[in-house]
Each structure stands twice: as structure tokens, then as C-alpha cells.
């Protein structure tokens, strides 16, 4: 059924279907590492991208990485590290599991140290991208008025459309968790969480204050739309969010935040612009109330998860509630929210935030 409902990708203002392909599943994570060792030999090796320090014995370079990724540098029985050391003529020291620290590369030749550093960076990036998202940047949209209007929307949809295929109470969002996502993050240590907080503060000082004028952004959450291209087979239905004064300031602000985090490497570049939306119905909630949209793709060890879902017929909902108004809000904070957590108010726990006023 996923072939009939592929992921949609926006490129250059157009939307394309991203058709799934069948990939061979490896039995062991270590096999992925062994396979990758051959590929990493062809990584591009920059000459001056890294800080390489001369020593009495040759040269030295350090790599900061969360301890969760150390095992991918060491490999099964230490094979990955040994292969890197032999091919680059270096010595690579990796902290013990559970200990935070730096990976240290030493060697007699500067070119060898740079080569080892480049290959380690490629390994780290590859396996970081296989980690499930841990946090996300977001505005909370759970003001009391909006929650009440959302519950009214749910009540009326179930009253008028419950006979439509796949429509039931289990696929509605938790009103306390209504939010607008700016970007997804993989933060694997306290240091990376702190780095994210600092980056968000830099955004505030450099452009958020200028765009917001030091005041909350007054927005309206109104109208509904669906993610895929068949209203008869909908998986995600969302409410649209826009500035009440008709300006483009919210879109400009979130796009610039996304761009800054993509440039820093904290967010993998997937989109050039943020799609302003608040999910109100999602078929993943049907079997798992804690599911979080298309981001539940990998387990903690990097294995792909296939989420079977039963779509719903959204044609009547779209017709009857096309312009439904969920209310107005004043957006005053961007939060670093942690997935699969709940605070005392029933919302996602926040690890940090910046306020506009």
C-alpha cells in the first residue's frame, strides 16, 4: 500500500512522489560498518579544513563526537579502527564506551592525519543520520482557546463524518501537544543540547528580534489541508498557520532559523523552506497514540521501521471544514522540544527556548 501513497518531496516549488525501493536488510549493525569501510576510502580529503597540530612525534588532530557514536569508529572487534589506522598510517584513540571525550588522531605525516579525520567524519555523519530524531524546534500552539476550538473540531468531525472510511477518535492529535515544527534534530549529548541553545540565542540576536520587533507574532490557525495528493486516502490532515496581519514575517523567521541550523549541521538539509502547519489528524495515532508522524523511521540502533497505516477518506471533512478557525495565538517562544516526553502541562518537555519579548 505504501507504493500507492509515497512520500511527497517539494523541489523548486514542485511536488514529486518519492517512490520506495526495496533495500536489503542487514542482520547485524556491525555488517553495516564492514560494508562502509570500503566506501570510506573514496571520501574527499580537504587540505586545510581541519586543525592539525604539529607534535614532537609528528601531527595530532582531535574530533568531538557523542559517546553514542564511538562504536561506529571502533567497529566489530575493533576492525574499523584498525583498518583506518593501517590505511592512513595513524594511531586513533577513542574514549571508552559511556565516557565523554575526544577522538585523538596522531601520525607522522600530516596528510595521513587529515585522511583519517576525513574518513572518521564521514562515518560519524553516516551513522548520525541513521539515529532517530531526539528533539525538534517548534512553536507551541496549545493555548486554551485553540485547545477548546480543536476539541470542537473533533466533536463536529466525528458527528458528521464518522461514517467515512477510517475516521474515528483515535487519529486526532492530543490538543495539549499542538505545535508547529521548524526542524528535527538529533542531539546525542548534553553538549549538543547546549550547542543548540546557543545557536538559537544567536538567531535571536542576529535576526529574530529584527523580524519580530521584540514582540510576539500574532497568528491565526485556520483552514485545513492534507499532505498527500488523494483526498480519499489521507494520512495526515493539518491546520494552516499564518500571520494575522497578512505579512510574511513568520515564514521569513522560521526559514532563516532553518537555514542557520542547516548551515551549522545541526539539522540535515531536506527542505529549503518550512511548511507552516499544525497536524490535527494522523493515521499513525490509530495504533500508537504517541507516534510522531513521518519521523518514526529508525530505531535507536539505526534500523528502519515500517509503519503500516490505514488511511481515511477526508473528502467530506475537507468540504465541511475547509475554513474552520481554530483561533488566534501570540507566538512568543521557540522551544527545543524533546520527543516522547511530557511536561506537567501534558505538552512536550522543553530543553531550552528563546523568547521574543
Amino acid at each position: 500500500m505504501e507504493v500507492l501513497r509515497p512520500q511527497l518531496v517539494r523541489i523548486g516549488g514542485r511536488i514529486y512522489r518519492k517512490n520506495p525501493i526495496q533495500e536489503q536488510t542487514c542482520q547485524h549493525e556491525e555488517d553495516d560498518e564492514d560494508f562502509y569501510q570500503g566506501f570510506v576510502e573514496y571520501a574527499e580529503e580537504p587540505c586545510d579544513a581541519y586543525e592539525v597540530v604539529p607534535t614532537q612525534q609528528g601531527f595530532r588532530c582531535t574530533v568531538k563526537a557523542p559517546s553514542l557514536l564511538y562504536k561506529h569508529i571502533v567497529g566489530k572487534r575493533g576492525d574499523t579502527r584498525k583498518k583506518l589506522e593501517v590505511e592512513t598510517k595513524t594511531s586513533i584513540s577513542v574514549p571508552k564506551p559511556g565516557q565523554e571525550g575526544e577522538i585523538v588522531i596522531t601520525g607522522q605525516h600530516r596528510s595521513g592525519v587529515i585522511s583519517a579525520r576525513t574518513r572518521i567524519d564521514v562515518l560519524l555523519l553516516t551513522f548520525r543520520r541513521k539515529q532517530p530524531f531526539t528533539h525538534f524546534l517548534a512553536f507551541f500552539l496549545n493555548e486554551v482557546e485553540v485547545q477548546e476550538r480543536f476539541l470542537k473540531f473533533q466533536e463536529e468531525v466525528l458527528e458528521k463524518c464518522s461514517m467515512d472510511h477510517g475516521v474515528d477518535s483515535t487519529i486526532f492529535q492530543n490538543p495539549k501537544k499542538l505545535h508547529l515544527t521548524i526542524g528535527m534534530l538529533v542531539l546525542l549529548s548534553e553538549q549538543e543540547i547546549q550547542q543548540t541553545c546557543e545557536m538559537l540565542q544567536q538567531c535571536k540576536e542576529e535576526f529574530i528580534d529584527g523580524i519580530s520587533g521584540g514582540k510576539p507574532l500574532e497568528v491565526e490557525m485556520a483552514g485545513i489541508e492534507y499532505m498527500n495528493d488523494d483526498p480519499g486516502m489521507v494520512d495526515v490532515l493539518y491546520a494552516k498557520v499564518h500571520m494575522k496581519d497578512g505579512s510574511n514575517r513568520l515564514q521569513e523567521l522560521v526559514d532563516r532559523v532553518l537555514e542557520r541550523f542547516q548551515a551549522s549541521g545541526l539539522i540535515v538539509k531536506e527542505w529549503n523552506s518550512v511548511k507552516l502547519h499544525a497536524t490535527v489528524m494522523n493515521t499513525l495515532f490509530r495504533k500508537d497514540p504517541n507516534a510522531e508522524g513521518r519521523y518514526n523511521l529508525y530505531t535507536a540502533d539505526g534500523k528502519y521501521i515500517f509503519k503500516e497505516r490505514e488511511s481515511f477518506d477526508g473528502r467530506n471533512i475537507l468540504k465541511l471544514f475547509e475554513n474552520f478557525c481554530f483561533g488566534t495565538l501570540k507566538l512568543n517562544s521557540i522551544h527545543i522540544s524533546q520527543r516522547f516526553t511530557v511536561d506537567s502541562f501534558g505538552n512536550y518537555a522543553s530543553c531550552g527556548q528563546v523568547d521574543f519579548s
Side-chain angles (χ1 to χ4, degrees):
M1 292 297 292
E2 289 299 312
V3 175
L4 300 178
R5 303 192 308 277
Q7 178 185 345
L8 301 181
V9 180
R10 186 182 298 273
I11 302 176
R14 295 186 177 183
I15 299 178
Y16 298 87
R17 293 184 179 90
K18 184 177 181 181
N19 294 318
I21 59 174
Q22 184 174 2
E23 297 181 354
Q24 182 178 359
T25 302
C26 296
Q27 294 296 318
H28 302 286
E29 182 179 339
E30 290 83 358
D31 294 340
D32 293 334
E33 296 171 359
D34 295 339
F35 170 81
Y36 192 73
Q37 289 175 14
F39 170 78
V40 79
E41 298 175 9
Y42 301 98
E44 181 181 355
E45 300 178 4
C47 296
D48 301 309
Y50 306 124
E51 182 180 354
V52 180
V53 180
T55 66
Q56 291 183 347
Q57 291 77 28
F59 297 88
R60 181 178 184 271
C61 183
T62 59
V63 186
K64 291 183 179 180
S67 59
L68 185 64
L69 299 180
Y70 291 162
K71 61 184 178 181
H72 301 299
I73 306 303
V74 176
K76 186 179 180 181
R77 299 184 300 272
D79 290 347
T80 301
R81 175 168 56 186
K82 292 175 184 176
K83 185 176 179 65
L84 288 172
E85 289 177 331
V86 169
E87 293 181 349
T88 61
K89 296 181 175 61
T90 60
S91 176
I92 301 172
S93 174
V94 181
K96 295 181 179 180
Q99 295 183 354
E100 296 295 336
E102 294 181 330
I103 299 171
V104 180
I105 309 165
T106 56
Q108 294 183 354
H109 304 287
R110 187 175 186 274
S111 60
V113 171
I114 291 177
S115 176
R117 170 63 192 268
T118 303
R119 300 179 190 203
I120 288 174
D121 279 353
V122 173
L123 283 169
L124 291 172
L125 178 61
T126 298
F127 287 101
R128 174 180 285 276
R129 288 183 173 179
K130 288 189 175 184
Q131 300 299 312
F133 293 115
T134 60
H135 299 73
F136 59 97
L137 298 177
F139 290 102
F140 292 160
L141 305 176
N142 58 351
E143 292 187 9
V144 175
E145 176 195 354
V146 173
Q147 289 193 51
E148 292 175 349
R149 289 291 295 165
F150 172 86
L151 291 174
K152 181 66 173 177
F153 168 77
Q154 178 176 335
E155 177 185 346
E156 293 186 6
V157 167
L158 293 175
E159 179 183 333
K160 299 176 182 179
C161 306
S162 61
M163 298 302 293
D164 295 344
H165 176 76
V167 176
D168 61 49
S169 61
T170 65
I171 62 176
F172 287 85
Q173 173 67 282
N174 180 342
K176 295 179 180 179
K177 289 189 172 183
L178 289 167
H179 64 277
L180 187 161
T181 301
I182 299 174
M184 302 301 297
L185 299 157
V186 176
L187 305 179
L188 303 178
S189 66
E190 288 298 323
Q191 289 82 357
E192 292 188 348
I193 294 174
Q194 182 59 36
Q195 182 185 357
T196 303
C197 292
E198 293 171 358
M199 178 67 67
L200 203 53
Q201 182 62 35
Q202 291 175 14
C203 291
K204 171 180 167 60
E205 295 171 358
E206 294 179 16
F207 59 83
I208 289 178
D209 285 345
I211 296 174
S212 68
K215 300 178 181 179
L217 297 179
E218 191 167 358
V219 303
E220 185 176 37
M221 185 171 158
I224 57 173
E225 191 56 84
Y226 59 104
M227 283 293 188
N228 59 306
D229 57 356
D230 184 354
M233 296 180 66
V234 176
D235 285 319
V236 176
L237 190 79
Y238 63 88
K240 294 180 280 189
V241 181
H242 57 268
M243 288 292 298
K244 195 172 181 181
D245 62 10
S247 72
N248 197 43
R249 288 189 296 152
L250 176 60
Q251 187 70 62
E252 179 187 358
L253 189 152
V254 296
D255 284 349
R256 291 191 64 178
V257 171
L258 178 68
E259 181 182 12
R260 177 59 59 86
F261 273 79
Q262 287 175 338
S264 71
L266 287 170
I267 291 180
V268 176
K269 187 168 184 179
E270 185 178 7
W271 313 103
N272 293 322
S273 180
V274 176
K275 187 176 184 65
L276 297 175
H277 72 285
T279 298
V280 294
M281 299 173 71
N282 189 329
T283 56
L284 285 180
F285 299 153
R286 195 187 305 280
K287 294 184 178 180
D288 181 4
N290 296 314
E292 297 177 5
R294 66 184 183 86
Y295 304 113
N296 284 344
L297 295 180
Y298 292 98
T299 62
D301 61 355
K303 301 302 181 183
Y304 181 79
I305 301 175
F306 174 73
K307 289 278 188 177
E308 184 178 357
R309 53 206 298 176
E310 177 192 353
S311 299
F312 66 92
D313 187 343
R315 288 174 292 187
N316 283 331
I317 298 175
L318 290 161
K319 180 179 179 180
L320 295 172
F321 301 94
E322 178 181 7
N323 298 311
F324 187 91
C325 182
F326 294 87
T328 59
L329 312 95
K330 291 185 178 180
L331 303 183
N332 192 45
S333 304
I334 297 177
H335 293 265
I336 304 168
S337 300
Q338 185 173 354
R339 299 182 71 205
F340 310 115
T341 61
V342 180
D343 64 13
S344 58
F345 300 101
N347 198 357
Y348 293 100
S350 178
C351 300
Q353 68 185 72
V354 293
D355 299 325
F356 298 173
S357 62

